[in-house]
Amino acid sequence: LWMVSEICETSQALRPAAALLDDAGLREDARMVLERLPGKEAVAALQAGFVRADREFKYALAQSLRNRGVPVEGFPNQKLLPVRMR
């Protein structure tokens, strides 16, 4: 699935990849395909997926949106959150 963004045109890959954002087993791969596809349509698909996603997956989608230059409030980069050391 990750190769889709390398071998398909955006118009061919966009809808199938966007639909897979709702598949728990493939959503992470679909997110990365959409992050790498050029164009506003791919960003819009990520944004639509963000609206539908469960809280856990919203963090990953927020990161993809930030990588595409879209600010996202309320879902910070998980690497930047403080952790309690034992």
Side-chain angles (χ1 to χ4, degrees):
L1 185 58
W2 277 47
M3 290 300 297
V4 167
S5 63
E6 304 300 320
I7 61 175
C8 290
E9 293 182 26
T10 300
S11 61
Q12 294 173 310
L14 186 68
R15 287 181 193 232
L20 291 175
L21 288 176
D22 297 325
D23 183 304
L26 296 173
R27 68 187 187 180
E28 185 61 29
D29 292 325
R31 174 181 75 88
M32 295 309 299
V33 169
L34 291 169
E35 185 176 320
R36 291 190 307 266
L37 286 175
K40 295 180 210 173
E41 296 88 1
V43 174
L46 287 167
Q47 289 173 315
F50 180 83
V51 170
R52 297 190 310 270
D54 60 34
R55 184 165 182 79
E56 177 186 335
F57 191 47
K58 282 187 186 279
Y59 286 96
L61 288 167
Q63 186 59 44
S64 287
L65 288 166
R66 281 192 290 273
N67 290 345
R68 294 295 301 265
V70 178
V72 180
E73 297 292 327
F75 291 88
N77 183 329
Q78 294 292 300
K79 293 180 181 179
L80 300 178
L81 294 177
V83 280
R84 179 189 242 179
M85 302 297 285
R86 288 183 169 216

